[in-house]
Amino acid sequence: MKILCVNAGSSSLKFQAYEMPSEKVLISGVFERIGIDGKYSMKINGEKIKKDASLTTHEDAVRILARELISNGIVKDLNEIEAVGHRVVHGGEKYSDSVILDEEVLKTIEELSDLAPLHNPANLIGIRAFMKEIPNAIEVGCFDTAFHQSLLEDKFLYAVPREWYEKYGVRKYGFHGMSHKYVSSRACELLNKNDANIIVCHLGNGGSLSAVSNGKCIDTTMGFTPNAGIIMGSRSGDIDYSMIPYIMNKTGKSITEVDTILNKQSGMLAISGVSSDFRDIEEKLRLNDHYALLSHDMFVSSVLGYLAKYYVELGHVDAICFTAGVGENSDYVRKLIVEKLSPFGIKLDENLNEITRFGKEGIITTSDSLIPCFVIPTNEEVMIARDTYELTN
Ligand code: AMP
């Protein structure tokens, strides 16, 4: 059975076609600059192809994708694509799992746009484009928030008036759910233990940690929005909210301007003064740059705070996993974090840490470490493919 996985943004559309259940990737790629000018790239059998195209709407991208699927021999007829799984950012409290998309679900996703104004509308545009171009396929929605719906009240409520939650939906939702689900389930496979307690550190440009017990998420660092939790590339993570009215008074900036600064000009970018990209900051570290060092100290401290919290909340931890751009590739950041975990009896294997990068999966702790730490490259797409396959069968 052939399945397409789609992640539609406001001006981009990423795709991956799978043969299921073997999980063989048939083609993958991305359409970019939709509504601006348009270009796309694809990877088939290890070969990369780049093309320009006029992409006025997402429908243009889907039409070109359909053509490419046929001309590259992925399918003879579009009806061979039996299902399309879409990444949808916000499923609110309504969806604790992936669902088959019908008009009612689409209406709910639209209503939830209040909670994810940048993402849900873009996801919907993508879904509708596929519904139009490949009408016989079953469409499935896979929500970034769904995996965290297992959080109990004491973890998802904020200490604010209850009506904020009851009337306006103010609560912790958590994000990166498909990644946390994939990595925690892969860790269970590596441990050969289905009911393991796992801490997942998804450290990318955006970052979040989750505590997973027996396949269920019990706590996570992102909150009502993806801005909460650990320090990120350009997002502040947790702050004292009172600085917002204070800075507004001092600078005359509007709430929207301050919100943008906290989202796009804060985090590692603000502390290092260099970049939101850890690679750029690591260059400066080699020169012993004070602010580059400080940014890493603060980042590691923010991760450790949650690691220690989740260790206590889980009671016992079977594995700690690193994933996403920084977690998969920066042996330097992992070393800083794991060495600080020595009070828990965790011991880094420096050699394994150095060689487990760039898409490699593996253990990075010594055999006598009380808790193993793994690097597990995330694979949100295959998680979407699995959920889509399961639901359509
Ligand atoms: P993601 O959001 O998961 O795509 O992660 C992207 C981020 O990963 C980039 O902004 C970098 O900060 C980080 N990253 C990617 N490759 C490396 C690397 N080799 N070393 C350090 N950080 C990296």
Side-chain angles (χ1 to χ4, degrees):
M1 174 180 183
K2 292 188 173 73
I3 283 179
L4 263 179
C5 297
V6 175
N7 184 356
S10 55
S11 66
S12 69
L13 192 148
K14 290 190 195 127
F15 65 91
Q16 202 137 20
Y18 283 92
E19 182 65 55
M20 295 299 281
S22 71
E23 299 184 355
K24 182 175 183 236
V25 179
L26 304 170
I27 185 171
S28 64
V30 58
F31 289 85
E32 291 171 283
R33 299 178 61 85
I34 301 172
I36 306 166
D37 39 21
K39 60 177 182 173
Y40 65 103
S41 57
M42 304 178 301
K43 200 168 154 191
I44 316 163
N45 299 325
E47 194 196 340
K48 278 192 183 158
I49 303 165
K50 284 187 183 174
K51 290 187 187 176
D52 288 323
S54 162
L55 301 173
T56 312
T57 64
H58 286 68
E59 280 172 21
D60 294 336
V62 180
R63 230 172 280 129
I64 292 172
L65 173 58
R67 223 166 51 211
E68 292 284 6
L69 290 176
I70 292 171
S71 64
N72 285 289
I74 307 294
V75 292
K76 285 197 186 71
D77 182 302
L78 279 185
N79 286 329
E80 284 176 46
I81 303 287
E82 290 184 54
V84 185
H86 296 267
R87 181 183 185 177
V88 181
V89 165
H90 222 302
E93 285 194 314
K94 185 118 188 215
Y95 302 110
S96 54
D97 239 317
S98 302
V99 288
I100 291 182
L101 296 169
D102 57 22
E103 276 307 319
E104 197 189 316
V105 181
L106 293 191
K107 194 166 157 253
T108 309
I109 295 173
E110 195 163 0
E111 285 162 7
L112 288 167
S113 291
D114 259 4
L115 295 173
L118 295 179
H119 295 104
N120 274 26
N123 299 152
L124 272 174
I125 289 172
I127 294 167
R128 292 214 183 270
F130 277 90
M131 283 180 156
K132 191 166 170 209
E133 295 300 322
I134 315 183
N136 291 335
I138 299 171
E139 311 280 333
V140 169
C142 304
F143 302 94
D144 241 13
T145 48
F147 185 57
H148 306 300
Q149 276 299 303
S150 47
L151 262 62
L152 299 178
E153 216 175 18
D154 63 326
K155 297 290 187 298
F156 75 67
L157 282 180
Y158 290 108
V160 295
R162 191 169 311 144
E163 74 165 20
W164 288 16
Y165 167 58
E166 289 169 353
K167 267 193 170 170
Y168 308 114
V170 172
R171 53 158 287 171
K172 180 187 274 196
Y173 289 102
F175 297 87
H176 291 145
M178 300 307 283
S179 175
H180 287 287
K181 188 174 170 185
Y182 173 80
V183 173
S184 55
S185 80
R186 179 70 191 131
C188 287
E189 279 173 21
L190 293 174
L191 293 165
N192 206 7
K193 189 175 180 206
N194 285 335
D195 58 354
N197 284 349
I198 313 282
I199 299 177
V200 178
C201 306
H202 177 113
L203 311 177
N205 189 29
S208 62
L209 272 69
S210 68
V212 182
S213 180
N214 200 5
K216 295 221 172 312
C217 182
I218 64 155
D219 208 350
T220 190
T221 57
M222 284 179 165
F224 175 59
T225 71
N227 300 344
I230 62 169
I231 293 172
M232 298 173 233
S234 66
R235 287 178 235 161
S236 65
D238 296 338
I239 53 162
D240 178 345
Y241 67 87
S242 294
M243 71 176 75
I244 297 171
Y246 177 81
I247 285 297
M248 287 170 68
N249 282 335
K250 286 282 179 194
T251 63
K253 289 195 192 310
S254 68
I255 187 81
T256 313
E257 286 170 318
V258 175
D259 185 46
T260 304
I261 293 171
L262 290 170
N263 240 300
K264 301 201 167 142
Q265 294 162 33
S266 296
M268 297 298 281
L269 168 65
I271 309 164
S272 70
V274 177
S275 162
S276 59
D277 192 310
F278 281 70
R279 284 166 291 197
D280 300 336
I281 309 173
E282 282 181 24
E283 290 283 313
K284 287 274 179 181
L285 279 176
R286 289 189 195 106
L287 307 172
N288 265 331
D289 180 84
H290 171 73
Y291 291 106
L293 286 163
L294 180 65
S295 68
H296 275 69
D297 287 347
M298 287 172 68
F299 177 77
V300 169
S301 170
S302 81
V303 172
L304 288 173
Y306 281 108
L307 269 171
K309 182 175 190 272
Y310 293 167
Y311 181 95
V312 175
E313 282 176 359
L314 287 166
H316 122 98
V317 175
D318 292 295
I320 295 171
C321 305
F322 292 93
T323 195
V326 181
E328 290 169 27
N329 300 308
S330 177
D331 54 322
Y332 179 75
V333 168
R334 290 192 311 240
K335 179 174 150 83
L336 292 178
I337 295 172
V338 177
E339 282 185 344
K340 292 269 187 194
L341 296 174
S342 62
F344 297 140
I346 298 176
K347 293 185 195 164
L348 183 74
D349 182 316
E350 296 223 15
N351 180 43
L352 287 178
N353 184 43
E354 275 170 31
I355 60 170
T356 313
R357 300 174 70 194
F358 308 131
K360 259 199 206 160
E361 179 186 272
I363 190 164
I364 55 166
T365 38
T366 58
S367 54
D368 62 342
S369 175
L370 286 189
I371 301 170
C373 295
F374 294 109
V375 174
I376 300 180
T378 196
N379 196 339
E380 290 158 294
E381 295 79 13
V382 88
M383 213 61 242
I384 294 174
R386 284 178 197 170
D387 279 11
T388 304
Y389 179 71
E390 231 170 75
L391 273 169
T392 47
N393 279 273

